[in-house]
Structure formats: C-alpha cells, structure tokens
Amino acid sequence: MTLTSTSCDWQQLASLALNGQLLTPEEGLAILQAPDDEVLPLLHAAFAVRKHYYGKKVKLNMIINAKSGLCPEDCGYCSQSIVSTAPVPKYSLMDKATLLAGAREAMNRQAGTYCIVASGKGPTERELNQVIEAVQEITATMPLKICACLGLLSDGQAQRLADAGVHRYNHNVNTSRANYAAITTTHTYDQRTETVRRAKSSGMSPCSGVIIGMGETDDEIVEMAYALRELDSDSIPINFLNAIPGTPLANAGRTPAMKALKVLALFRFVCPSKEIRVAGGREVNLRSLQPLALYAANSVFVGDYLTTSGQDVSDDHRMIEDLGFEIERCAL
C-alpha cells in the first residue's frame, strides 16, 4: 500500500487493522509524519477502530503514589530517581488504611481501575506483604480493578500478587531498546520486558507503555508500538514527557499536541484491540486538544500522577460528557 496522506488512506489503514493486519513500518511512519491538516481525518479513521472494540466508553484510572522518592534507579525522566534534585516528597510504603482510603477515592472519582505505584527497583518482602494485605481487603469490599506497579518482579513475587487478587501489573518499556541506555543505566530493557512476561505468566493482565519525548526518533516510536504488540500488553499507557526541573531531561521540551495525537493514532492502529490510555503529561503536551485524544485512546488517568498534578477530575468528567462519550463504571 502506498500512502499519499489522504483521508482515504487512513480509512484503508483502519480496515487493515480491523482485519488483523499489521501496519508496515512505512505506514507507521506515514502516520507520525502526516501533515497536521490530516490529523482530523486520521483521528476519524482511528476512531472507527476504537469504536469497534470499545464503543464510546472511557475507562478511568487513578494512581496512588504509595511510596515516594528513595529510589536507587537513575531514570532520567523521573523526579524520584537517585540523580534527581527535584523537591519531591519522600516516604516509605503507605499503610493499609491509607491504601484503602485511596481505593475509596478512586470510587468517588468513578475510576474503575486503582493503580498502586511504588518507587524503587523492586518490592521488598515487607512491601510485598503490605500491598497484598491491602489488595485482599480492597477486592473483598469494592468493585475495583487493581493494578500494581512495584518495579521488577521475580516469578514468585508475580504469582503471589496474582493469587492475592491483583488484576493487572504495570511495567512500562518507556522507550525503544536502542534509546534505553540514554535514559537509564541501572537496569536493562530486557529486565523490564521479562517482568511484563512474568506478570502475564502468573495470570495478571500485562500493562506496559511508553513515554514520548525522550529523544527517540519516529522510527523508534514505531518500533515501540510493535514491541508492545509483541508483548501482548493488554493496557498501553501513552505518557508524554512532563519535563521536571531537577531531572536530567528537564530541558527536553514538550511534544507538540498534533504530534501527540498522531502517536495515539499509531498505537491504536498497531494495537487495535488493546486499551490505549492517554496518561502522564497529557495536560501539558496536548493542552486544549485533550478531548481529541479520546478518539484514538479509550482510557485516561484522573487526578494527579506520581509527583505532578493532573487536571481537576470534574474537568475530565465534563470532557467525556461533552464528547458524547460514557464513563465505564466498572472495569471488572
């Protein structure tokens, strides 16, 4: 198929995606490099795929920063890393009562998925037990899908989380294999993908995504989409770098809103049936074009992120209502 950046071409890509055919690298690049005046036809085609699998429903997710700072990793994007000088809160893993209160707040925000996130390379035995105890009570008392993001896991740790009732495990690949060493040196790309595979093997739903805006090329963005398709990630958070003062990537700048929309469309075409979540950095990168993101994505975080602020949850609810979309009340 030869692309000439016409709206007819985008509809043809949608048809291919719905028929289970993988885009070629050239087609993926054509999406990312399409003229800005093609973004609306492109999103129209992406919406055809999104609507086929998810209708007009939007999944809401809420993060709790269960353990902040105190991280030995050197990830260049993260304000909690050992190389960051950003003034962030530092505390050990929250107790059960606090994690339960966070779950109740997720319910108040109409979020179907509650994400328990802890800084660090991986959980200690004490931390794992604390999370397990909280998850068991949450799942027994609230209709929430629980996602954990605790770092690298061993096989035994993954199985214990699954047995406790954790539905989903998040561990993002973040960037391309080729770009990985420029972002962090304290663990490898393969260690991350192995944790995603362990989560899946244990029975948890694998969640893995990316951060756009960390020096990757367009070719590498296409490779990242292919990699997550190969990993069979059920949920794919698409973060856009929110450059935080005090981190190595503080001067990286923002992804233009139109480019961000093309990225979301790419991932919808490459991973057509998967939950595509517009995640961290959407407020500062997409800005006033945030509503358009939901024509490709079907999921969004509500409230604050780990150490950065999100927009008011009532604004997100209104955005979904104004689009004529519907909040998915229960993710189970």
Side-chain angles (χ1 to χ4, degrees):
M1 171 181 175
T2 301
L3 289 179
T4 58
S5 294
T6 68
S7 55
C8 180
D9 294 321
W10 309 132
Q11 293 295 334
Q12 188 173 350
L13 287 188
S15 296
L16 292 174
L18 288 170
N19 287 327
Q21 298 183 48
L22 179 61
L23 272 65
T24 67
E26 293 76 19
E27 289 163 347
L29 277 175
I31 291 172
L32 295 179
Q33 297 173 0
D36 287 349
D37 60 7
E38 282 296 310
V39 165
L40 288 180
L42 175 61
L43 288 177
H44 180 66
F47 180 63
V49 182
R50 179 238 201 270
K51 188 176 181 182
H52 175 82
Y53 289 103
Y54 295 101
K56 299 175 78 174
K57 290 188 176 181
V58 180
K59 299 174 184 287
L60 301 186
N61 310 260
M62 193 195 93
I63 290 176
I64 187 167
N65 192 8
K67 176 187 173 186
S68 182
L70 309 172
C71 186
E73 304 291 278
D74 67 354
C75 305
Y77 53 85
C78 183
S79 59
Q80 303 182 78
S81 78
I82 196 169
V83 296
S84 169
T85 61
V88 299
K90 295 180 173 62
Y91 51 83
S92 58
L93 190 71
M94 292 173 171
D95 60 21
K96 183 173 76 170
T98 307
L99 293 176
L100 288 169
R104 288 190 289 271
E105 178 58 27
M107 295 284 293
N108 290 337
R109 296 179 183 183
Q110 302 181 42
T113 301
Y114 178 50
C115 308
I116 301 173
V117 183
S119 63
K121 191 162 191 172
T124 65
E125 183 69 11
R126 179 185 63 82
E127 290 168 344
L128 195 69
N129 287 334
Q130 281 182 245
V131 170
I132 285 172
E133 187 178 354
V135 167
Q136 288 173 331
E137 184 159 345
I138 293 167
T139 56
T141 58
M142 299 178 222
L144 283 172
K145 178 180 284 185
I146 304 300
C147 178
C149 178
L150 311 175
L152 301 173
L153 294 179
S154 67
D155 286 333
Q157 289 175 324
Q159 193 59 58
R160 287 175 62 195
L161 288 169
D163 292 345
V166 174
H167 303 93
R168 174 170 287 168
Y169 196 81
N170 167 260
H171 204 51
N172 293 332
V173 296
N174 286 329
T175 192
S176 69
R177 181 185 294 276
N179 195 43
Y180 208 79
I183 303 305
T184 183
T185 64
T186 47
H187 60 269
T188 66
Y189 180 91
D190 287 334
Q191 284 178 296
R192 282 191 169 262
T193 56
E194 181 57 30
T195 284
V196 177
R197 293 188 180 98
R198 281 176 174 155
K200 183 177 180 180
S201 296
S202 75
M204 291 185 287
S205 169
C207 173
S208 189
V210 298
I211 304 173
I212 301 298
M214 300 197 298
E216 71 283 344
T217 65
D218 284 350
D219 287 295
E220 287 172 328
I221 295 175
V222 175
E223 290 171 15
M224 289 147 64
Y226 283 5
L228 290 170
R229 180 184 171 107
E230 184 177 349
L231 273 176
D232 198 28
S233 179
D234 290 331
S235 178
I236 303 175
I238 309 296
N239 300 276
F240 299 97
L241 181 68
N242 185 350
I244 299 172
T247 63
L249 290 175
N251 298 318
R254 58 179 287 274
T255 300
M258 298 295 266
K259 178 63 173 286
L261 292 171
K262 295 170 194 175
V263 169
L264 290 167
L266 168 71
F267 277 82
R268 174 55 67 203
F269 285 127
V270 175
C271 304
S273 66
K274 303 301 186 180
E275 177 181 344
I276 305 296
R277 186 187 312 158
V278 57
R282 66 179 168 98
E283 296 87 351
V284 298
N285 289 275
L286 284 159
R287 299 196 299 207
S288 63
L289 298 188
Q290 287 185 71
L292 291 178
L294 290 176
Y295 285 96
N298 66 294
S299 180
V300 67
F301 280 113
V302 289
D304 295 337
Y305 301 96
L306 295 176
T307 63
T308 57
S309 298
Q311 67 185 25
D312 190 277
V313 65
S314 62
D315 291 335
D316 287 326
H317 289 171
R318 280 193 292 268
M319 175 176 71
I320 293 165
E321 179 185 357
D322 290 347
L323 285 165
F325 289 2
E326 176 187 354
I327 295 172
E328 182 180 272
R329 299 290 180 175
C330 181
L332 295 174

